[in-house]
Amino acid sequence: MGALENAKAMSQEAVIEKIKAAGLREYGVYNQPLDEKWAADLEDQKNWEQPMKVVAALNNNDTDRALLALLNTQREDVIAGMQITAYALDTDKMELYVPEGESELRSQLAADVAGTGIQVFEAMVNVRECRGGSINHIAAMAAVGQLFADSYEAGAWMSVYQNGECGELQKVAYGTAIKDIPGVSAQDVKGVLVGSALYDASGLDLVVEADTNIGNGVIKVFTNADCIIDQQEKLLMTERRNGCGRCTFCREGLGQLYLHTKEITDGKGKNDALAMMEEIGNAMTFSCQCSVGQNGADFVLGSLKYFAGEYNEHIKKRNCPANVCSSFMSIYIDPNTCEGCEECVDVCPVGCIEGKSGFIHMIEEFDCTKCGKCIEACEYDAIIQTTGRVPKLPTRLTKCGKFKKR
């Protein structure tokens, strides 16, 4: 028999008891024993008029989408898990959500669930509309399906972020330290991001257990070549775009955190903003409806806890230790090295380099975006990037070799 048939051969109470005995837990940011979660869902359903329904999806804050691969590799288990959950909760209403932009996957799933009673949607889960229902992670649903198919193996699905993308999903046995997961580098580590939680290098020693909140399962290792505050700025922008805008604390909180972070990377940060950022972040954790807001400030709270020195460098010393934040850099052309070849003029995307053949070129610093393309183009190594003082430079076109400091 299949997983669903095996489950339906048991009473609903026996199904839940088997899940409890196996220690199955909800996956993602709402980690808790699955049987306890379902009991709470059934109790909460009594407060709402709409009937119980089973919802399966990624957490709303999961922008990496690595765990979406389970809908390809474990599709039958996810479908069976949803049906078994619906049986245990005494409902026939089931909804499966994939993120926006996954139209092809939605179409494939819609064809595969035909006749099961499962509806497939391409959207983020509207928590308000799902009140009185049971929202479950697709990884938890896969585990339920595998349990009743006698193929379940304990562990956590995780992906190591490398070279700008999420690596292949792997099942990590409980008791494994982050540093021992294949693909995780332990060299030159500054920080470790596990899901949405940021740690310093000590995060490598974090041991994955059944009750560990590993969020979306993605591990990102930051080295000394990374600026934590620059990474924070990029992440907050992604989270702002991902939010639905309905929760005030999520919408306004992410906006304020982004603006404060942007001021810091722009060299305009103020020390008293840090206390405000912490206050906003803590308020978001309990004032928002879904994981976008509830966990949207996790990186900020982690950076404030573990990387106070990096904030100090940016705000007080006006310096980016990783030389990433362009606001703290200057790019100039060494008048004693420039050969007036015009290569830098040709590649500058904003046209801020003045010069002609045989004359020392000059960069208009106000317009320069510090993209670095001119540095790559100069075969004479005459274009210098520095966070220190800039030497005396020509203020008008001067023939190469004729510039004299005054």
Side-chain angles (χ1 to χ4, degrees), residues 196-242:
S196 60
L198 178 66
Y199 306 88
D200 59 12
S202 67
L204 290 174
D205 296 320
L206 178 71
V207 176
V208 179
E209 300 290 0
D211 59 352
T212 303
N213 180 357
I214 56 175
N216 64 5
V218 176
I219 303 168
K220 297 182 181 180
V221 175
F222 301 118
T223 70
N224 288 319
D226 296 305
C227 172
I228 294 298
I229 303 178
D230 172 72
Q231 292 289 332
Q232 178 171 294
E233 178 189 331
K234 293 174 181 175
L235 179 62
L236 286 169
M237 176 56 76
T238 300
E239 290 175 340
R240 292 180 69 197
R241 291 170 177 163
N242 187 50

Short mmCIF file of all heavy atoms in Angstrom, two decimals, residues 196-242:
data_model
loop_
_atom_site.label_atom_id
_atom_site.label_comp_id
_atom_site.label_asym_id
_atom_site.label_seq_id
_atom_site.Cartn_x
_atom_site.Cartn_y
_atom_site.Cartn_z
N SER A 196 17.93 32.77 8.59
CA SER A 196 17.93 34.23 8.74
C SER A 196 18.74 34.68 9.95
O SER A 196 18.86 35.87 10.20
CB SER A 196 16.48 34.74 8.89
OG SER A 196 15.86 34.17 10.04
N ALA A 197 19.31 33.73 10.70
CA ALA A 197 20.05 34.06 11.91
C ALA A 197 21.53 34.25 11.61
O ALA A 197 22.17 33.38 11.01
CB ALA A 197 19.88 32.96 12.95
N LEU A 198 22.07 35.41 12.02
CA LEU A 198 23.48 35.73 11.76
C LEU A 198 24.31 35.50 13.02
O LEU A 198 23.93 35.90 14.12
CB LEU A 198 23.60 37.19 11.34
CG LEU A 198 25.02 37.71 11.08
CD1 LEU A 198 25.64 37.02 9.86
CD2 LEU A 198 25.00 39.22 10.86
N TYR A 199 25.46 34.85 12.84
CA TYR A 199 26.42 34.62 13.91
C TYR A 199 27.79 35.12 13.47
O TYR A 199 28.02 35.36 12.28
CB TYR A 199 26.54 33.12 14.23
CG TYR A 199 25.24 32.43 14.54
CD1 TYR A 199 24.45 31.88 13.52
CD2 TYR A 199 24.80 32.30 15.86
CE1 TYR A 199 23.26 31.23 13.80
CE2 TYR A 199 23.61 31.65 16.15
CZ TYR A 199 22.83 31.12 15.11
OH TYR A 199 21.65 30.48 15.39
N ASP A 200 28.70 35.25 14.42
CA ASP A 200 30.09 35.47 14.04
C ASP A 200 30.69 34.11 13.69
O ASP A 200 29.95 33.14 13.47
CB ASP A 200 30.85 36.18 15.16
CG ASP A 200 30.84 35.41 16.48
OD1 ASP A 200 30.44 34.24 16.49
OD2 ASP A 200 31.23 36.00 17.51
N ALA A 201 32.00 33.99 13.66
CA ALA A 201 32.62 32.72 13.26
C ALA A 201 32.23 31.56 14.16
O ALA A 201 32.31 30.39 13.75
CB ALA A 201 34.14 32.88 13.24
N SER A 202 31.77 31.84 15.36
CA SER A 202 31.34 30.77 16.27
C SER A 202 30.14 30.00 15.73
O SER A 202 29.84 28.89 16.20
CB SER A 202 31.01 31.35 17.65
OG SER A 202 29.86 32.19 17.58
N GLY A 203 29.45 30.57 14.75
CA GLY A 203 28.32 29.88 14.14
C GLY A 203 28.73 28.58 13.48
O GLY A 203 27.89 27.69 13.27
N LEU A 204 30.01 28.44 13.13
CA LEU A 204 30.50 27.18 12.54
C LEU A 204 30.36 26.03 13.52
O LEU A 204 30.25 24.86 13.11
CB LEU A 204 31.96 27.33 12.12
CG LEU A 204 32.25 28.23 10.92
CD1 LEU A 204 33.76 28.37 10.73
CD2 LEU A 204 31.61 27.68 9.64
N ASP A 205 30.36 26.33 14.81
CA ASP A 205 30.27 25.28 15.83
C ASP A 205 28.82 24.94 16.19
O ASP A 205 28.58 24.03 17.00
CB ASP A 205 31.02 25.72 17.10
CG ASP A 205 32.51 25.89 16.84
OD1 ASP A 205 33.08 25.06 16.10
OD2 ASP A 205 33.10 26.86 17.36
N LEU A 206 27.87 25.66 15.61
CA LEU A 206 26.46 25.36 15.87
C LEU A 206 26.15 23.94 15.41
O LEU A 206 26.49 23.54 14.30
CB LEU A 206 25.57 26.35 15.11
CG LEU A 206 24.06 26.15 15.24
CD1 LEU A 206 23.59 26.51 16.65
CD2 LEU A 206 23.32 27.02 14.22
N VAL A 207 25.52 23.17 16.27
CA VAL A 207 25.19 21.78 15.96
C VAL A 207 23.72 21.68 15.56
O VAL A 207 22.84 22.19 16.26
CB VAL A 207 25.47 20.85 17.17
CG1 VAL A 207 25.03 19.42 16.88
CG2 VAL A 207 26.96 20.89 17.52
N VAL A 208 23.47 21.07 14.43
CA VAL A 208 22.11 20.91 13.93
C VAL A 208 21.41 19.80 14.69
O VAL A 208 21.82 18.64 14.63
CB VAL A 208 22.11 20.60 12.42
CG1 VAL A 208 20.67 20.43 11.92
CG2 VAL A 208 22.82 21.70 11.65
N GLU A 209 20.37 20.16 15.42
CA GLU A 209 19.54 19.19 16.13
C GLU A 209 18.11 19.30 15.65
O GLU A 209 17.78 20.20 14.86
CB GLU A 209 19.61 19.43 17.64
CG GLU A 209 21.01 19.32 18.25
CD GLU A 209 21.56 17.90 18.26
OE1 GLU A 209 20.85 16.98 17.81
OE2 GLU A 209 22.69 17.71 18.74
N ALA A 210 17.26 18.40 16.11
CA ALA A 210 15.86 18.40 15.66
C ALA A 210 15.16 19.70 15.98
O ALA A 210 14.30 20.16 15.22
CB ALA A 210 15.12 17.22 16.30
N ASP A 211 15.53 20.33 17.10
CA ASP A 211 14.85 21.56 17.51
C ASP A 211 15.60 22.82 17.10
O ASP A 211 15.26 23.92 17.54
CB ASP A 211 14.62 21.57 19.02
CG ASP A 211 15.92 21.46 19.81
OD1 ASP A 211 16.97 21.22 19.19
OD2 ASP A 211 15.87 21.60 21.05
N THR A 212 16.64 22.68 16.25
CA THR A 212 17.38 23.85 15.79
C THR A 212 16.57 24.60 14.74
O THR A 212 16.09 24.02 13.78
CB THR A 212 18.72 23.44 15.17
OG1 THR A 212 19.48 22.70 16.12
CG2 THR A 212 19.52 24.66 14.75
N ASN A 213 16.42 25.90 14.95
CA ASN A 213 15.73 26.72 13.96
C ASN A 213 16.71 27.07 12.85
O ASN A 213 17.54 27.96 13.00
CB ASN A 213 15.19 28.00 14.61
CG ASN A 213 14.45 28.89 13.61
OD1 ASN A 213 14.36 28.59 12.42
ND2 ASN A 213 13.91 29.99 14.11
N ILE A 214 16.61 26.35 11.73
CA ILE A 214 17.54 26.62 10.62
C ILE A 214 16.85 27.37 9.48
O ILE A 214 17.39 27.46 8.38
CB ILE A 214 18.16 25.31 10.09
CG1 ILE A 214 17.07 24.32 9.68
CG2 ILE A 214 19.08 24.69 11.12
CD1 ILE A 214 17.63 23.07 9.04
N GLY A 215 15.68 27.92 9.77
CA GLY A 215 15.01 28.78 8.79
C GLY A 215 14.81 28.12 7.46
O GLY A 215 14.22 27.05 7.35
N ASN A 216 15.34 28.75 6.41
CA ASN A 216 15.18 28.20 5.06
C ASN A 216 16.24 27.17 4.71
O ASN A 216 16.32 26.72 3.57
CB ASN A 216 15.18 29.33 4.02
CG ASN A 216 16.51 30.07 3.97
OD1 ASN A 216 17.47 29.72 4.63
ND2 ASN A 216 16.56 31.13 3.16
N GLY A 217 17.07 26.82 5.69
CA GLY A 217 18.05 25.76 5.48
C GLY A 217 19.29 26.16 4.71
O GLY A 217 20.14 25.32 4.43
N VAL A 218 19.42 27.44 4.38
CA VAL A 218 20.56 27.90 3.58
C VAL A 218 21.66 28.42 4.50
O VAL A 218 21.41 29.22 5.39
CB VAL A 218 20.15 28.99 2.58
CG1 VAL A 218 21.36 29.51 1.82
CG2 VAL A 218 19.12 28.44 1.60
N ILE A 219 22.89 27.97 4.25
CA ILE A 219 24.05 28.40 5.03
C ILE A 219 24.90 29.31 4.14
O ILE A 219 25.29 28.93 3.05
CB ILE A 219 24.90 27.21 5.48
CG1 ILE A 219 24.06 26.23 6.30
CG2 ILE A 219 26.11 27.68 6.28
CD1 ILE A 219 24.75 24.91 6.52
N LYS A 220 25.19 30.51 4.63
CA LYS A 220 26.06 31.44 3.92
C LYS A 220 27.23 31.80 4.83
O LYS A 220 27.02 32.21 5.97
CB LYS A 220 25.30 32.71 3.51
CG LYS A 220 24.15 32.47 2.54
CD LYS A 220 23.48 33.77 2.16
CE LYS A 220 22.30 33.52 1.21
NZ LYS A 220 21.61 34.78 0.82
N VAL A 221 28.43 31.63 4.32
CA VAL A 221 29.63 31.96 5.08
C VAL A 221 30.21 33.27 4.56
O VAL A 221 30.41 33.43 3.35
CB VAL A 221 30.68 30.84 4.97
CG1 VAL A 221 31.98 31.25 5.66
CG2 VAL A 221 30.15 29.55 5.59
N PHE A 222 30.46 34.22 5.46
CA PHE A 222 31.06 35.50 5.10
C PHE A 222 32.53 35.52 5.53
O PHE A 222 32.85 35.07 6.63
CB PHE A 222 30.32 36.66 5.76
CG PHE A 222 28.86 36.73 5.41
CD1 PHE A 222 27.89 36.60 6.38
CD2 PHE A 222 28.46 36.91 4.10
CE1 PHE A 222 26.54 36.66 6.06
CE2 PHE A 222 27.11 36.97 3.76
CZ PHE A 222 26.15 36.84 4.74
N THR A 223 33.38 36.03 4.67
CA THR A 223 34.81 36.12 4.98
C THR A 223 35.19 37.58 5.22
O THR A 223 34.34 38.48 5.16
CB THR A 223 35.65 35.57 3.82
OG1 THR A 223 35.56 36.47 2.70
CG2 THR A 223 35.16 34.19 3.38
N ASN A 224 36.47 37.82 5.47
CA ASN A 224 36.93 39.19 5.70
C ASN A 224 36.84 40.05 4.44
O ASN A 224 37.01 41.26 4.52
CB ASN A 224 38.38 39.16 6.22
CG ASN A 224 38.45 38.66 7.65
OD1 ASN A 224 37.61 39.02 8.48
ND2 ASN A 224 39.43 37.82 7.95
N ALA A 225 36.58 39.42 3.30
CA ALA A 225 36.38 40.18 2.06
C ALA A 225 34.96 40.70 1.95
O ALA A 225 34.64 41.47 1.04
CB ALA A 225 36.72 39.32 0.85
N ASP A 226 34.08 40.27 2.87
CA ASP A 226 32.68 40.71 2.86
C ASP A 226 32.46 41.78 3.91
O ASP A 226 33.00 41.71 5.02
CB ASP A 226 31.74 39.53 3.16
CG ASP A 226 31.80 38.44 2.11
OD1 ASP A 226 31.59 38.77 0.93
OD2 ASP A 226 32.05 37.28 2.47
N CYS A 227 31.65 42.76 3.56
CA CYS A 227 31.23 43.78 4.53
C CYS A 227 29.86 43.37 5.05
O CYS A 227 28.90 43.27 4.28
CB CYS A 227 31.16 45.15 3.87
SG CYS A 227 30.43 46.43 4.95
N ILE A 228 29.76 43.11 6.34
CA ILE A 228 28.50 42.66 6.93
C ILE A 228 27.39 43.69 6.74
O ILE A 228 26.24 43.36 6.44
CB ILE A 228 28.69 42.36 8.44
CG1 ILE A 228 29.63 41.16 8.63
CG2 ILE A 228 27.34 42.10 9.11
CD1 ILE A 228 29.12 39.85 8.05
N ILE A 229 27.73 44.96 6.86
CA ILE A 229 26.70 46.01 6.76
C ILE A 229 26.25 46.16 5.31
O ILE A 229 25.07 46.41 5.03
CB ILE A 229 27.22 47.33 7.35
CG1 ILE A 229 27.63 47.11 8.81
CG2 ILE A 229 26.15 48.42 7.27
CD1 ILE A 229 28.21 48.31 9.50
N ASP A 230 27.17 46.00 4.35
CA ASP A 230 26.79 46.00 2.95
C ASP A 230 25.88 44.82 2.64
O ASP A 230 24.87 44.97 1.92
CB ASP A 230 28.05 45.94 2.07
CG ASP A 230 27.74 45.75 0.60
OD1 ASP A 230 27.25 46.71 -0.03
OD2 ASP A 230 27.97 44.63 0.08
N GLN A 231 26.19 43.64 3.17
CA GLN A 231 25.34 42.46 2.99
C GLN A 231 23.96 42.71 3.59
O GLN A 231 22.94 42.30 3.04
CB GLN A 231 25.99 41.24 3.64
CG GLN A 231 27.27 40.76 2.97
CD GLN A 231 27.01 40.11 1.63
OE1 GLN A 231 25.95 39.54 1.38
NE2 GLN A 231 27.99 40.19 0.73
N GLN A 232 23.93 43.37 4.73
CA GLN A 232 22.67 43.69 5.39
C GLN A 232 21.81 44.61 4.53
O GLN A 232 20.59 44.40 4.41
CB GLN A 232 22.98 44.36 6.73
CG GLN A 232 21.78 44.79 7.54
CD GLN A 232 22.20 45.22 8.92
OE1 GLN A 232 22.68 44.41 9.71
NE2 GLN A 232 22.05 46.50 9.26
N GLU A 233 22.44 45.61 3.93
CA GLU A 233 21.70 46.53 3.06
C GLU A 233 21.04 45.78 1.90
O GLU A 233 19.86 46.00 1.59
CB GLU A 233 22.65 47.60 2.51
CG GLU A 233 21.98 48.59 1.56
CD GLU A 233 22.98 49.50 0.88
OE1 GLU A 233 24.04 49.78 1.47
OE2 GLU A 233 22.70 49.93 -0.25
N LYS A 234 21.78 44.89 1.26
CA LYS A 234 21.24 44.13 0.13
C LYS A 234 20.11 43.22 0.57
O LYS A 234 19.08 43.10 -0.12
CB LYS A 234 22.36 43.32 -0.52
CG LYS A 234 23.43 44.17 -1.19
CD LYS A 234 24.59 43.32 -1.69
CE LYS A 234 25.67 44.18 -2.33
NZ LYS A 234 26.86 43.40 -2.72
N LEU A 235 20.28 42.56 1.72
CA LEU A 235 19.25 41.64 2.21
C LEU A 235 17.97 42.39 2.56
O LEU A 235 16.86 41.93 2.24
CB LEU A 235 19.78 40.89 3.43
CG LEU A 235 18.81 39.90 4.08
CD1 LEU A 235 18.45 38.80 3.10
CD2 LEU A 235 19.41 39.31 5.35
N LEU A 236 18.10 43.54 3.21
CA LEU A 236 16.92 44.31 3.59
C LEU A 236 16.15 44.78 2.36
O LEU A 236 14.91 44.82 2.36
CB LEU A 236 17.32 45.51 4.45
CG LEU A 236 17.73 45.17 5.89
CD1 LEU A 236 18.38 46.38 6.57
CD2 LEU A 236 16.52 44.70 6.70
N MET A 237 16.86 45.16 1.30
CA MET A 237 16.19 45.55 0.07
C MET A 237 15.40 44.38 -0.52
O MET A 237 14.25 44.53 -0.96
CB MET A 237 17.20 46.07 -0.95
CG MET A 237 16.59 46.43 -2.30
SD MET A 237 15.23 47.64 -2.19
CE MET A 237 16.18 49.14 -1.92
N THR A 238 16.00 43.18 -0.49
CA THR A 238 15.31 41.99 -0.98
C THR A 238 14.06 41.71 -0.15
O THR A 238 12.99 41.40 -0.69
CB THR A 238 16.25 40.77 -0.93
OG1 THR A 238 17.38 41.01 -1.76
CG2 THR A 238 15.54 39.51 -1.42
N GLU A 239 14.17 41.83 1.16
CA GLU A 239 13.03 41.57 2.04
C GLU A 239 11.93 42.60 1.82
O GLU A 239 10.73 42.26 1.86
CB GLU A 239 13.50 41.58 3.50
CG GLU A 239 14.36 40.38 3.84
CD GLU A 239 14.93 40.47 5.25
OE1 GLU A 239 14.98 41.59 5.79
OE2 GLU A 239 15.32 39.42 5.79
N ARG A 240 12.29 43.84 1.60
CA ARG A 240 11.27 44.88 1.35
C ARG A 240 10.48 44.56 0.09
O ARG A 240 9.26 44.73 0.04
CB ARG A 240 11.93 46.25 1.22
CG ARG A 240 12.54 46.79 2.51
CD ARG A 240 13.17 48.15 2.28
NE ARG A 240 12.18 49.16 2.02
CZ ARG A 240 12.44 50.35 1.47
NH1 ARG A 240 13.69 50.64 1.12
NH2 ARG A 240 11.49 51.23 1.27
N ARG A 241 11.17 44.09 -0.93
CA ARG A 241 10.49 43.74 -2.18
C ARG A 241 9.62 42.51 -2.02
O ARG A 241 8.63 42.34 -2.73
CB ARG A 241 11.53 43.51 -3.28
CG ARG A 241 12.26 44.77 -3.73
CD ARG A 241 13.42 44.45 -4.63
NE ARG A 241 14.08 45.65 -5.14
CZ ARG A 241 15.28 45.68 -5.67
NH1 ARG A 241 16.00 44.55 -5.77
NH2 ARG A 241 15.80 46.82 -6.11
N ASN A 242 9.98 41.66 -1.07
CA ASN A 242 9.25 40.41 -0.88
C ASN A 242 7.99 40.57 -0.05
O ASN A 242 7.09 39.74 -0.11
CB ASN A 242 10.19 39.39 -0.20
CG ASN A 242 9.58 38.00 -0.10
OD1 ASN A 242 9.09 37.47 -1.09
ND2 ASN A 242 9.62 37.41 1.08
#
